[in-house]
C-alpha cells in the first residue's frame, strides 16, 4: 500500500507546493483584487485546478496500463509461455503478477516431477495387470509435495493416491473402478457448471492428451469448496503405448484469493481516485467563490488540499476500511503548523467510521479549525477548543460530535454565510450522512455535527 499512498499524495503535494510557493498571508475575506488582475487570477485558478486534474488522470492511466499488462500476463501463462514481468510501479499489481509467476514456476516444476515419476513407473513395474505398488514407489509418491493419483489404462481404474491428496481434498482417496466413475470426485468450473468425468485431466491423459490441465472448485470432505489445480500426463510403455495415467493436484485457494483481492483493490483504487477528483473539484469551486485575487485563492485552496492529503494518508494506513475518530481528529489538528499545546483537547468513545465518512468529517473539522485560527478562539493567546463525541442510538446509530470554542474574541453572527459553512453544510454533510449546526454564541463558536457510523 505504500506506493499507492505515494501515488495519491504526490499530485496533492504538488498542488500544495504550487499554492504555497506564491501564497500570501492575506485571508480570503480581506483580500482585494486590484483593477486588471481578474484575468491573471482566473488563469491562475484554472492552472492549479488543471494541473491537479492532470496528475490524477495520469495516475489513473498508469493503473489502467498496469491492469492491461496483468491481463496479458495471465493470457501468456495460460498459453504456457515463459514470461518476464517488468514492474509497473503499482505495488498491488506487481504483487499479483509475482504470485502468478511463482505459481507458473511451481506448475512447471510439478510437470517435471510428473515426467520423472512417469519414468520411474515404467522402469519399476508395468501398470496393466498390476496387483499393487512396491514399497519404494509408494515412498516416492508419498514424499511428493503435491497430491498424486495413478490410474491404469484403458479402464481408468485408480490404483494409488498419496497422503498429500488426502490432505488437500480432506477425504481418503476414492478408488474409482473406471473413468466414468470419476463423477465420484465432485468439482465445478468457475461458472458453476459441474466438471464431467471426461473433463478431468486423468481421463484426458488416458485418452492420449499429453499435458491436460484444469482449474476448478472441489467439494472437499468437510463440505467446503476450495480451488485446486490439476495437471495430468499419460504413462507410456517402451513401445509408446499408453499403459496408465498420472495426475498431480495442488491447492490454489490462496492464489485465487490473492487474484480476487487484487481485482477488488484495483476497482477500489479507481473509485478512490474518482472520489478524490470530485472532492478537489468541489473544493476548487467553493474556494474560488470567495477568492478576490490569485494569492487568496492559492492560500485557501492549498490549505484545504494539504488537509485532504493528510487525511487521505491516514485512510491509506487503515487500508481504506474503518478509521478511529480519535486518530481522525488528531490528524486534522496536526494540519495546523502552530503548536497550541493544551489549548486544544478532545475526548470521546472508541468508535470507527467508514473511510468516505471519515474523509468528509475530517474536512469539515478542518474548516472549523481554520476559522478558529483566523477569527475564533485560537486567534488569541488564551482561547481554547474542545472536541467531544459520543455514539447515539436511535432510529439509526450515529456519531454526535460537538466543537466548542471558549476564551476567544466575542462572537457575533456574521452578516453573510461564509464559504466554510457552505462547504460543510452543502457538500460535506451529505457525504458523511449527517448534519452540521453552527451556533455563534457570545463566548465562542459551537458546532454540533452528526455523522453515520
Amino acid at each position: 500500500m505504500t506506493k499507492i499512498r505515494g501515488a495519491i499524495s504526490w499530485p496533492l503535494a504538488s498542488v500544495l507546493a504550487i499554492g504555497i510557493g506564491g501564497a500570501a498571508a492575506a485571508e480570503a475575506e480581506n483580500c482585494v483584487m486590484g483593477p486588471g488582475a481578474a484575468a491573471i487570477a482566473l488563469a491562475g485558478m484554472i492552472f492549479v485546478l488543471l494541473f491537479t486534474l492532470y496528475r490524477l488522470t495520469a495516475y489513473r492511466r498508469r493503473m489502467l496500463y498496469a491492469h492491461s499488462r496483468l491481463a496479458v500476463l495471465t493470457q501468456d501463462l495460460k498459453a504456457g509461455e515463459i514470461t518476464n514481468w517488468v514492474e509497473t510501479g503499482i505495488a498491488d499489481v506487481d504483487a499479483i503478477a509475482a504470485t502468478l509467476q511463482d505459481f507458473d514456476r511451481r506448475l512447471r516444476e510439478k510437470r517435471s516431477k510428473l515426467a520423472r515419476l512417469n519414468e520411474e513407473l515404467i522402469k519399476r513395474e508395468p501398470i496393466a495387470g498390476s496387483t499393487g505398488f512396491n514399497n519404494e514407489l509408494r515412498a516416492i509418491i508419498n514424499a511428493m509435495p503435491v497430491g498424486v493419483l495413478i490410474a491404469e489404462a484403458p479402464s481408468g481404474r485408480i490404483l494409488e493416491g498419496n497422503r498429500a491428496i488426502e490432505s488437500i481434498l480432506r477425504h481418503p482417496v476414492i478408488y474409482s473402478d473406471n473413468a466414468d466413475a470419476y463423477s465420484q470426485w465432485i468439482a465445478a468450473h468457475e461458472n458453476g457448471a459441474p466438471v464431467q468425468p471426461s473433463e478431468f485431466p486423468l481421463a484426458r491423459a488416458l485418452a492420449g492428451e499429453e499435458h491436460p490441465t484444469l482449474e476448478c472448485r472441489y467439494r472437499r470432505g468437510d463440505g467446503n469448496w476450495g480451488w485446486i489445480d490439476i495437471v495430468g500426463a499419460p504413462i507410456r510403455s517402451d513401445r509408446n503405448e499408453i499403459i496408465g495415467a498420472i495426475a498431480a493436484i495442488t491447492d490454489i485457494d490462496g492464489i485465487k484469493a490473492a487474484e480476487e483481492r487484487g481485482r477488488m483493490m484495483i476497482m477500489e483504487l479507481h473509485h478512490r481516485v474518482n472520489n478524490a477528483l470530485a472532492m478537489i473539484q468541489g473544493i476548487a469551486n467553493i474556494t474560488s467563490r470567495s477568492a478576490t485575487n490569485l494569492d487568496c485563492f492559492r492560500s485557501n485552496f492549498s490549505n484545504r488540499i494539504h488537509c485532504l492529503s493528510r487525511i487521505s494518508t491516514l485512510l491509506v494506513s487503515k487500508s481504506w476500511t474503518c478509521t478511529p475518530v480519535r486518530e481522525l481528529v488528531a490528524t486534522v489538528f496536526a494540519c495546523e503548523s502552530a503548536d497550541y499545546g493544551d489549548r486544544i483537547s478532545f475526548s470521546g468513545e472508541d468508535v470507527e467510521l467508514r473511510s468516505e465518512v471519515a474523509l468528509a468529517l475530517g474536512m469539515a473539522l478542518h474548516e472549523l479549525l481554520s476559522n478558529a485560527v483566523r477569527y475564533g478562539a485560537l486567534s488569541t493567546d488564551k482561547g481554547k477548543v474542545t472536541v467531544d463525541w459520543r455514539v447515539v442510538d436511535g432510529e439509526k446509530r450515529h456519531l454526535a460530535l460537538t466543537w466548542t470554542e471558549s476564551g476567544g474574541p466575542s462572537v457575533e453572527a456574521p452578516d453573510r454565510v461564509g464559504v466554510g459553512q457552505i462547504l460543510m453544510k452543502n457538500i460535506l454533510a451529505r457525504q458523511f450522512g449527517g448534519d452540521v449546526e453552527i451556533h455563534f454564541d457570545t463566548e465562542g463558536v459551537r458546532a454540533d455535527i452528526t455523522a453515520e457510523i
Side-chain angles (χ1 to χ4, degrees):
M1 297 301 294
T2 303
K3 291 195 176 184
I4 293 178
R5 181 188 315 160
I8 293 176
S9 299
W10 193 92
L12 299 181
S14 299
V15 174
L16 180 62
I18 292 173
I20 292 177
E27 299 168 352
E29 288 75 6
N30 296 329
C31 295
V32 179
M33 177 181 291
I40 298 176
L42 180 60
M45 294 177 191
I46 294 174
F47 172 76
V48 173
L49 180 58
L50 290 181
F51 182 81
T52 305
L53 300 181
Y54 167 75
R55 292 304 307 172
L56 287 171
T57 303
Y59 179 67
R60 186 177 182 183
R61 286 175 179 168
R62 285 178 56 207
M63 280 296 307
L64 294 175
Y65 170 72
H67 191 260
S68 65
R69 285 271 316 282
L70 187 62
V72 172
L73 173 69
T74 304
Q75 294 299 321
D76 289 344
L77 292 178
K78 286 184 178 179
E81 298 179 10
I82 298 177
T83 60
N84 184 24
W85 178 265
V86 178
E87 290 195 354
T88 63
I90 307 298
D92 295 306
V93 176
D94 290 336
I96 294 170
T99 301
L100 293 175
Q101 286 196 307
D102 179 65
F103 172 67
D104 182 63
R105 176 186 58 78
R106 286 189 285 147
L107 182 61
R108 293 178 186 277
E109 291 177 355
K110 182 166 61 175
R111 286 174 175 169
S112 177
K113 289 175 182 177
L114 281 175
R116 290 199 300 271
L117 186 55
N118 191 349
E119 294 174 1
E120 287 291 329
L121 288 168
I122 294 173
K123 287 192 301 183
R124 298 287 176 182
E125 185 176 3
I127 289 184
S130 171
T131 58
F133 281 62
N134 60 45
N135 291 333
E136 186 177 352
L137 186 56
R138 183 170 287 107
I140 291 173
I141 66 171
N142 275 330
M144 295 186 71
V146 297
V148 174
L149 283 177
I150 299 174
E152 67 175 2
S155 69
R157 179 169 67 96
I158 293 177
L159 301 174
E160 192 72 15
N162 66 347
R163 296 192 189 98
I165 194 172
E166 294 184 346
S167 176
I168 294 170
L169 303 184
R170 300 172 192 172
H171 64 66
V173 174
I174 302 173
Y175 291 97
S176 304
D177 291 332
N178 51 58
D180 291 337
Y182 292 170
S183 57
Q184 297 167 316
W185 305 76
I186 302 174
H189 294 287
E190 188 172 7
N191 61 7
V195 176
Q196 301 301 318
S198 60
E199 294 178 305
F200 283 106
L202 197 60
R204 289 154 59 190
L206 287 167
E209 191 173 339
E210 285 301 324
H211 291 292
T213 62
L214 175 67
E215 281 187 7
C216 61
R217 294 173 64 243
Y218 186 83
R219 193 175 74 182
R220 294 168 168 154
D222 56 9
N224 295 320
W225 290 80
W227 281 97
I228 59 173
D229 175 76
I230 311 173
V231 178
I235 301 172
R236 298 180 183 274
S237 66
D238 293 339
R239 297 186 299 275
N240 203 35
E241 298 172 344
I242 295 178
I243 58 175
I246 185 170
I249 296 90
T250 305
D251 186 338
I252 59 169
D253 243 3
I255 293 174
K256 284 293 184 180
E259 290 177 351
E260 180 62 18
R261 283 196 303 272
R263 188 182 69 82
M264 294 301 295
M265 288 176 71
I266 290 172
M267 292 177 60
E268 182 69 12
L269 185 56
H270 288 171
H271 175 68
R272 299 298 175 191
V273 170
N274 288 336
N275 279 355
L277 188 60
M279 179 75 77
I280 291 173
Q281 287 175 321
I283 290 173
N285 291 335
I286 291 292
T287 306
S288 64
R289 292 183 185 180
S290 63
T292 51
N293 64 30
L294 183 57
D295 288 338
C296 294
F297 175 81
R298 282 178 175 172
S299 178
N300 294 330
F301 184 69
S302 295
N303 289 338
R304 287 177 174 127
I305 293 298
H306 174 61
C307 184
L308 177 64
S309 178
R310 293 286 292 268
I311 296 173
S312 296
T313 300
L314 172 64
L315 299 182
V316 168
S317 71
K318 303 299 180 183
S319 299
W320 290 92
T321 52
C322 291
T323 303
V325 174
R326 191 176 305 277
E327 292 186 36
L328 175 66
V329 174
T331 299
V332 171
F333 282 132
C335 292
E336 182 60 43
S337 57
D339 182 11
Y340 294 101
D342 59 0
R343 296 173 58 196
I344 294 177
S345 62
F346 51 90
S347 61
E349 302 177 38
D350 291 333
V351 60
E352 295 182 335
L353 303 176
R354 300 194 312 276
S355 59
E356 58 270 23
V357 174
L359 181 62
L361 179 60
M363 292 303 297
L365 292 175
H366 170 72
E367 293 302 317
L368 291 169
L369 177 62
S370 298
N371 184 75
V373 171
R374 291 175 178 176
Y375 316 110
L378 298 181
S379 65
T380 65
D381 294 333
K382 296 183 179 179
K384 294 184 178 181
V385 172
T386 60
V387 180
D388 301 293
W389 63 87
R390 67 189 187 282
V391 176
V392 178
D393 291 317
E395 241 181 72
K396 288 186 178 179
R397 197 163 174 261
H398 64 274
L399 178 77
L401 183 146
T402 302
W403 172 287
T404 307
E405 299 181 27
S406 60
S410 180
V411 174
E412 294 181 1
D415 296 333
R416 60 185 180 86
V417 179
V419 66
Q421 289 189 60
I422 296 174
L423 182 61
M424 283 188 289
K425 297 178 73 68
N426 294 354
I427 297 178
L428 297 175
R430 290 199 300 268
Q431 294 188 23
F432 56 68
D435 195 12
V436 179
E437 293 293 336
I438 300 177
H439 309 278
F440 296 94
D441 300 333
T442 304
E443 58 273 18
V445 171
R446 177 170 55 87
D448 296 318
I449 301 175
T450 58
E452 292 180 352
I453 295 180

